[in-house]
């Protein structure tokens, strides 16, 4: 039976660890939190060893032979271990499906398999996912529909000890525009801003707290660019400018993220270990898919060019270069979000 990620988290609190789990879907926050719940349950039940398998470098698929060997090898440091398989496309292919199905047919007593997938539809399912469902659980994070978002926000608020009336919840739903990760971040900030005062949030108080949290929007601005969302980039920049935010307050984060992306692009172009580079750059698991999508839009030399343009915008801010820094920054971030907008950089980079 297919579960919702939240249902899986609830079951993990009341039942022994299953031999296998599949968590998939296009809602990265729900997939990540359900996977974290499996990891937490594993730790609570004495599983201290963890292995991760995913495609690296020029490989399009994980090393299936290594995964199969891991299933058959005894644990070196613990009596039980968690083996994670990451499938961004949700498709293990013929070889991968066989390895997973074989494991599920006779699961090793010391192994729990956790498969996560960033894409999922009815077409992705197959004998391998059915095999996981027979010995464990399959949880799918289907996209939250617009009419479902307020209820999701209310549950999230309750989880942080907060409550809000309908208008206040709707305000927050309108602000995040269906982005669950942004909604979760906003609610965490609301919990901090509300402090010990847990009185229900009405519309006026929600508006005040959301305004106080506006300084955090630079993170969402950069994420929108990396996620390929040019409309959101323009809207957020206009909002930040209208709130009186200065370009220098934004450039530090923009330059850092572009330099990070350029470094990742160099490693990927050279066929290096992107997973190791993520660790070296201290990029959280929840953010890695954002960078992977961004790297697919532009070749490595273009990321280096983006860093150069950011330097030019920074010089505009400091009066060392002619030009409008707001226009330069918008052109830069639109180009990051949409390859079709790269031509707009000509005027900035000239």
């Amino acid at each position: 039976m297919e579960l919702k990620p939240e249902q899986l988290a609830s079951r993990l609190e009341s039942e022994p660890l299953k031999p296998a789990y599949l968590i998939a879907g296009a809602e990265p926050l729900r997939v990540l939190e359900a996977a974290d719940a499996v990891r937490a349950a594993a730790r609570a039940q004495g599983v201290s060893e963890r292995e991760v398998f995913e495609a690296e470098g020029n490989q399009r698929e994980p090393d299936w032979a290594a995964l199969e060997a891991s299933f058959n090898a005894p644990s070196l440091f613990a009596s039980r271990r968690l083996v994670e398989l990451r499938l961004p496309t949700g498709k293990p292919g013929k070889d991968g499906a066989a390895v997973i199905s074989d494991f599920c047919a006779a699961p090793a007593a010391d192994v729990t398999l956790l498969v996560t997938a960033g894409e999922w539809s009815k077409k992705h399912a197959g004998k391998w996912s059915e095999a996981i469902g027979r010995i464990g659980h399959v949880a799918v994070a289907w996209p939250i529909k617009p009419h479902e978002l307020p209820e999701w926000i209310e549950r999230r608020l309750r989880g942080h000890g907060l409550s809000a009336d309908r208008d206040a919840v709707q305000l927050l739903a309108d602000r995040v525009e269906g982005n669950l990760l942004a909604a979760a971040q906003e609610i965490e900030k609301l919990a901090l801003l509300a402090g010990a005062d847990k009185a229900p949030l009405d519309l006026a108080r929600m508006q005040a707290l959301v305004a106080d949290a506006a300084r955090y929007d630079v993170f969402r601005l950069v994420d929108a660019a990396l996620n390929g969302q040019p409309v959101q980039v323009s809207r957020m920049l206009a909002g930040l400018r209208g709130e009186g935010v200065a370009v220098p307050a934004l450039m530090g984060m923009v330059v850092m993220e572009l330099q990070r992306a350029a470094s990742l692009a160099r490693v990927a172009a050279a066929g290096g270990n992107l997973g190791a580079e993520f660790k070296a750059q201290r990029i959280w698991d929840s953010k890695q898919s954002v960078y992977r999508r961004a790297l697919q839009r532009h070749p490595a030399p273009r990321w280096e060019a983006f860093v150069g343009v950011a330097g030019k915008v920074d010089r505009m801010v400091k009066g060392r270069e002619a030009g409008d820094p707001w226009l330069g920054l918008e052109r830069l971030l639109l180009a990051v979000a949409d390859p079709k907008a790269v031509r707009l950089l000509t005027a900035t980079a000239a």
Side-chain angles (χ1 to χ4, degrees):
M1 181 182 70
E2 181 183 296
L3 302 175
K4 295 180 180 180
E6 296 78 11
Q7 291 174 316
L8 172 60
S10 178
R11 292 204 178 194
L12 287 165
E13 296 176 355
S14 59
E15 66 183 25
L17 208 61
K18 299 287 186 180
Y21 297 89
L22 168 61
I23 305 170
E27 291 286 6
L29 176 69
R30 298 175 72 202
V31 171
L32 174 65
E33 292 187 339
D36 282 344
V38 172
R39 297 181 189 111
R43 288 192 299 270
Q45 296 182 41
V47 180
S48 58
E49 188 176 336
R50 177 173 168 240
E51 295 178 86
V52 178
F53 291 86
E54 60 184 330
E56 297 287 357
N58 290 327
Q59 295 178 329
R60 299 182 63 182
E61 296 183 352
D63 187 336
W64 300 119
L67 176 61
E68 186 173 28
S70 177
F71 287 152
N72 297 323
S75 177
L76 296 177
F77 306 107
S79 59
R80 299 169 65 192
R81 55 202 164 99
L82 181 67
V83 175
E84 293 190 29
L85 172 61
R86 296 174 181 173
L87 300 174
T89 66
K91 297 177 179 179
K94 182 178 179 181
D95 293 340
V99 171
I100 296 170
S101 296
D102 287 348
F103 169 81
C104 293
D110 67 334
V111 172
T112 290
L113 173 63
L114 170 59
V115 182
T116 54
E119 296 179 13
W120 197 255
S121 68
K122 296 297 184 183
K123 295 180 180 179
H124 285 77
K127 292 183 178 179
W128 66 276
S129 61
E130 293 172 359
I132 291 177
R134 282 193 293 271
I135 66 169
H137 289 306
V138 175
V140 179
W142 298 111
I144 296 288
K145 296 180 176 63
H147 71 273
E148 298 173 332
L149 183 56
E151 182 182 352
W152 186 91
I153 288 175
E154 285 184 326
R155 289 199 303 270
R156 195 87 182 185
L157 286 167
R158 288 196 297 271
H160 285 74
L162 300 173
S163 63
D165 64 27
R166 181 178 300 178
D167 290 340
V169 170
Q170 190 60 53
L171 172 69
L172 187 54
D174 293 340
R175 177 178 172 83
V176 300
E177 299 181 329
N179 186 326
L180 296 192
L181 182 57
Q185 292 171 337
E186 291 289 348
I187 291 169
E188 289 175 3
K189 287 179 277 185
L190 287 171
L192 291 173
L193 293 168
D197 184 0
K198 301 301 182 182
L201 301 173
D202 58 15
L203 180 60
R205 188 155 181 254
M206 180 69 81
Q207 286 175 326
L209 291 176
V210 165
D212 287 342
R215 63 184 180 277
Y216 294 96
D217 279 356
V218 63
F219 298 101
R220 293 176 58 209
L221 171 66
V222 176
D223 279 353
L226 293 175
N227 270 316
Q229 300 171 312
V231 174
Q232 285 86 339
V233 167
S234 293
R235 183 185 61 79
M236 289 180 185
L237 276 173
L240 289 166
R241 190 172 187 177
E243 292 168 1
V245 176
V247 175
L250 307 177
M251 288 309 299
M253 177 62 66
V254 170
V255 171
M256 183 185 76
E257 294 293 337
L258 291 178
Q259 289 175 334
R260 183 177 282 175
S263 177
L264 291 167
R266 286 194 298 270
V267 171
N273 188 328
L274 197 57
E277 185 63 17
F278 278 130
K279 292 178 182 177
Q281 296 279 349
R282 297 182 179 180
I283 298 173
W284 295 353
D285 289 356
S286 59
K287 190 74 176 287
Q288 291 178 15
S289 61
V290 174
Y291 285 101
R292 290 185 187 275
R293 286 193 292 270
L295 295 180
Q296 291 174 356
R297 288 198 305 276
H298 304 289
R302 188 174 292 163
W303 287 104
E304 301 288 352
F306 287 156
V307 174
V309 174
K312 184 178 178 70
V313 174
D314 189 55
R315 291 193 296 274
M316 290 179 188
V317 170
K318 297 173 181 176
R320 299 174 183 172
E321 190 90 30
D324 180 350
W326 276 107
L327 180 60
L329 178 58
E330 182 174 23
R331 286 174 171 172
L332 170 60
L333 294 180
L334 287 176
V336 171
D338 184 357
K340 295 178 182 178
V342 171
R343 59 183 176 78
L344 296 175
L345 288 182
T346 304
T348 303

